[in-house]
Amino acid sequence: MKFLSSIIITIIVSISISVFPQEIKKEETGFTTWYEIYYEAEEYIKIGRWQDAIDNLHLVLVKQQKDRRNARTYGMNFIKEFTPNRNLGICYYHISDFEFARKYLEIHLRQFLTDSGKEYLEKVNIELEKEVKANEHFEKGRSYYEKREYVLSIKEMEEVLKIRPDYNVAKKYIEKAKSIMEIKNKIKIKK
Amino acid sequence: MKRISTLTIIILFGSSSLFCGNIGFIGAGARSSGMGGAFVAIADDATSIFWNPAGLTHLLEKEVSIVGRFDNSIWDFPSSLAVLTPNTAGSFSLNFASFAYPTKIFKRNFTAALSIASIYDFNFNDKIFRVDPGGTVNINYLIEEEAKGKLYQISSGFAYEILPDVSFGTAFNWHYGRINGVNKNGKNILTGDATLKVTENDTLKGGSSISFGVFANLPYKWHIGGVAKIKIDDMEWNGEKETTNLDPKVWTDDDYINRKSGSSNKNSFPNSFGLGVSFTPSDYIIVAADYSIIKWSQYKIDGWEPVYESSGVKKFVDANQVHIGFEYLLPRSFINEYPMPIRLGVYTDPFPIQYENKTGISATFFTIGSGLVLDFGQIDLSIEYGTRDWGFSRSENIFRLISSIIVKT
């Protein structure tokens, strides 16, 4: 009978593995529960894989929308600080998507106040203020560019880059303005 | 004899106490106990191999569980025997230990587990007043009964997540037990003469069964679980017995005199089936209910049937059990760092025989429990209380204290 039971078990396992499809909710991670996907997101955050973390956290939010203390995973197991919204805010901050960062950090702080949440929201707000200033300088610089006041345009665009070194459009305007000024200088010299 | 020896019933039925609805229900774990044993559709820790092996796929970390249990029975006698003090029997034992090892196979949860459970504690200490052959109470005769021993269930099993929210599990259960001394001493109270002495040592081995379980997460935070336990082998019961009966007119019960030394019996295990549902509306609340049936009507013990006939037992009947449980986590403002639950439960524990003059013997147990979730795992405690009316103006007040620890590694 023991032999028979072993055969039955083997058959059931084989059928289970072969009949049911291997696709799962999130093929990339291989995890099927929200808390496994959340744990993986935390690992991504530790190593700075922001976009992967963002993907995971959006999946988590489909099932668990609220940041909270002691979120039950299974049995008597809990995530002491379950903060998918805060973590999304942090990830968006790191990829300089400050609008989204502020959105999720504000959601987080409405649900569950944490020091790191507040800290990141302050950082995000500073960045957004900078962005406003950078945009103001950029608009001025573009306006000067269109008026063919290239020196002033370059000055404004350099202000932009002081605030936002990754502002590539400003860099292009500077390059264009400089090249136009060089051409003008050459023409002046020839004359 | 108009009455059956309580010990006889307990030992005979205890020998096949296999399912979560054991005779003298013994569960596994203080958390499940606190929830009235309604755990088939929860089954989310290392004790799951006992309740529903499919639930093992919940685990993400290796877990070790150890469960201790204290049983205490207080027997009530009829008012006509009020001069006699009700007897008390109590014992403490480690009744369950398990180890669960979760991993991934084909990107899905797979958990293997081992466990050993004391599914019946034969420890017993009792005094019974005899009814004379004419059928009237004769308190001149007293028999003291005592037994020590346990029946163990050793299980090995596994569970696999066959679909994202559907798991299947199975466990092979093997049984082994010993009763190290069933001592019965009968005496005439008035003269003090010892007129009966029975000493018995039994070995129980070879019985096996296989459990199948399924677990599914449903929409809207509902969960269902099902489990079936199917007999594979009968258990062999070998007894060594010595009887000295100096007063056969009084001690006529087959149980005391008929069984021969070196006798061997086969006990057929009853199959059992259980179905559970649970609802987890939030992190803080779990409500669960189970229904199980143990097919005692199929139960057979070679060579023992005449004992039941002569003792007035009509027949074996299926035991239908209902378990209802509730778990509530205290608000986070109260315990911020370490979650602390409060559990309540109720369950019925019918005794699967029908006497001629009764429809059945049942008991309802009320449970309460709590615990603490710590960094290394959890500790839990529960209390069960119930009363079982055995008939013949005799009832048993049962108190149990169960403690368990689960360590995550």
Side-chain angles (χ1 to χ4, degrees), chain B residues 200-309:
Chain B
E200 186 174 341
N201 289 293
D202 298 280
T203 304
L204 305 85
K205 62 181 179 182
S208 61
S209 62
I210 187 163
S211 306
F212 299 103
V214 291
F215 190 100
N217 295 315
L218 302 179
Y220 305 110
K221 300 181 179 179
W222 285 86
H223 317 273
I224 57 166
V227 64
K229 203 164 195 173
I230 309 296
K231 181 198 85 170
I232 297 175
D233 283 337
D234 288 344
M235 185 174 70
E236 198 168 300
W237 181 316
N238 296 306
E240 296 291 334
K241 188 172 185 176
E242 287 181 20
T243 303
T244 305
N245 188 355
L246 299 177
D247 200 346
K249 287 181 182 174
V250 174
W251 312 114
T252 58
D253 193 319
D254 291 342
D255 178 43
Y256 302 124
I257 61 175
N258 278 359
R259 200 171 182 204
K260 301 290 186 291
S261 180
S263 64
S264 178
N265 303 101
K266 289 252 182 185
N267 290 243
S268 69
F269 294 101
N271 296 333
S272 54
F273 307 91
L275 190 66
V277 60
S278 69
F279 178 51
T280 52
S282 74
D283 295 332
Y284 297 95
I285 296 172
I286 297 179
V287 185
D290 291 358
Y291 166 76
S292 64
I293 181 167
I294 310 171
K295 303 293 286 182
W296 285 103
S297 55
Q298 302 169 345
Y299 184 60
K300 287 176 187 167
I301 309 173
D302 291 347
W304 282 85
E305 203 163 341
V307 174
Y308 300 125
E309 293 298 326

Side-chain angles (χ1 to χ4, degrees), chain A residues 3-176:
Chain A
F3 178 69
L4 182 64
S5 63
S6 305
I7 291 174
I8 292 169
I9 293 168
T10 309
I11 290 169
I12 290 169
V13 172
S14 306
I15 291 170
S16 304
I17 292 170
S18 59
V19 168
F20 292 101
Q22 293 301 309
E23 289 77 25
I24 51 175
K25 282 176 181 170
K26 185 175 186 304
E27 288 177 59
E28 297 82 0
T29 64
F31 293 135
T32 56
T33 59
W34 62 266
Y35 44 90
E36 286 176 289
I37 297 170
Y38 181 78
Y39 289 139
E40 192 182 50
E42 287 193 326
E43 294 301 314
Y44 285 144
I45 289 170
K46 281 180 192 168
I47 57 174
R49 287 173 62 177
W50 309 113
Q51 194 54 55
D52 289 328
I54 287 169
D55 292 345
N56 273 28
L57 290 166
H58 279 296
L59 283 173
V60 172
L61 283 179
V62 172
K63 285 210 163 184
Q64 299 284 330
Q65 294 82 25
K66 199 171 178 187
D67 289 14
R68 60 197 187 273
R69 187 181 291 280
N70 290 329
R72 193 195 285 254
T73 54
Y74 65 94
M76 296 303 286
N77 295 277
F78 300 85
I79 299 173
K80 280 198 170 176
E81 282 195 1
F82 175 67
T83 54
N85 287 298
R86 182 194 64 183
N87 293 353
L88 264 176
I90 291 171
C91 291
Y92 279 121
Y93 169 82
H94 282 286
I95 61 168
S96 301
D97 196 335
F98 300 117
E99 286 295 340
F100 271 114
R102 182 163 68 179
K103 175 187 166 186
Y104 286 105
L105 286 167
E106 283 176 349
I107 292 171
H108 162 70
L109 292 172
R110 279 200 298 273
Q111 296 172 343
F112 180 29
L113 203 63
T114 61
D115 289 340
S116 61
K118 282 196 286 187
E119 184 188 321
Y120 266 94
L121 186 59
E122 282 171 16
K123 284 183 180 179
V124 167
N125 284 333
I126 290 168
E127 292 300 326
L128 284 169
E129 279 177 24
K130 283 182 184 175
E131 199 160 75
V132 170
K133 283 183 183 172
N135 286 339
E136 283 173 2
H137 285 294
F138 179 78
E139 288 303 324
K140 280 184 185 175
R142 197 169 61 178
S143 175
Y144 285 130
Y145 182 87
E146 285 168 0
K147 293 174 186 170
R148 298 181 181 179
E149 294 180 24
Y150 298 114
V151 177
L152 289 175
S153 175
I154 289 169
K155 196 180 170 185
E156 290 298 332
M157 292 302 178
E158 281 174 346
E159 286 298 316
V160 172
L161 291 176
K162 277 181 193 170
I163 299 167
R164 289 274 311 273
D166 59 336
Y167 212 129
N168 292 329
V169 185
K171 285 177 190 171
K172 282 185 180 173
Y173 270 99
I174 291 172
E175 284 170 15
K176 280 183 182 177

Side-chain angles (χ1 to χ4, degrees), chain B residues 71-77 85-90 385-388 394-399:
Chain B
D71 286 77
N72 192 56
S73 290
I74 299 173
W75 295 86
D76 283 339
F77 290 88
T85 308
N87 224 347
T88 300
Y385 177 77
T387 301
R388 191 188 299 279
R394 199 156 183 262
S395 64
E396 182 185 10
N397 296 301
I398 302 162
F399 169 82

